[in-house]
Amino acid sequence: MLRAAFWLTALLFIPLGLYLYFLPSGVASLLGVAPLWLARGAGAVVLAWGAFQLAASFAPDPVKVGGLVGGNLLLVAALVPPVLRGTETLPGALRTTLLVIAGGLTLLAVLALLGTPSRRGRL
């Protein structure tokens, strides 16, 4: 279960990071992203986070689980308030998609917490 939480998180962040990094200028202007370097910088960070999750899935430990849980919950905390406030500005499909992603990240964080190996087994 723990490795699945890492893999699923990586499967979300790696494609998203690649898309943001290579974001076409037409899509950027449609989304209202004025400085394209900002989207590409965010893409690089998201891609690195996804690659870390993939690498961490091969040898999960409590520290890596803490990183996964903390990162996922920070992203949820950053996504949910603007989505809930942007009822007039965001299209309904985009709001639903962002809320589903936030819910999925929360679920993956909970699964990682439940699957964390105990320290007692190693003593």
Side-chain angles (χ1 to χ4, degrees):
M1 178 168 50
L2 181 57
R3 288 179 192 241
F6 276 103
W7 272 89
L8 291 173
T9 301
L11 285 175
L12 175 71
F13 286 128
I14 289 174
L16 178 63
L18 285 170
Y19 181 73
L20 286 173
Y21 189 76
F22 295 107
L23 187 68
S25 58
V27 174
S29 64
L30 180 68
L31 294 175
V33 179
L36 193 55
W37 63 267
L38 185 61
R40 291 199 173 132
V45 170
V46 170
L47 178 61
W49 180 247
F52 170 76
Q53 297 307 318
L54 186 62
S57 71
F58 292 106
D61 60 37
V63 173
K64 292 173 188 161
V65 170
L68 173 100
V69 171
N72 282 6
L73 293 180
L74 279 172
L75 186 57
V76 169
L79 277 178
V80 171
V83 169
L84 294 179
R85 275 191 234 119
T87 55
E88 303 86 30
T89 57
L90 290 175
L94 179 61
R95 286 184 68 232
T96 303
T97 301
L98 291 174
L99 288 174
V100 166
I101 289 171
L105 289 172
T106 303
L107 178 65
L108 289 171
V110 169
L111 287 176
L113 282 174
L114 293 175
T116 304
S118 69
R119 291 184 167 249
R120 289 185 206 170
R122 294 184 195 173
L123 294 176

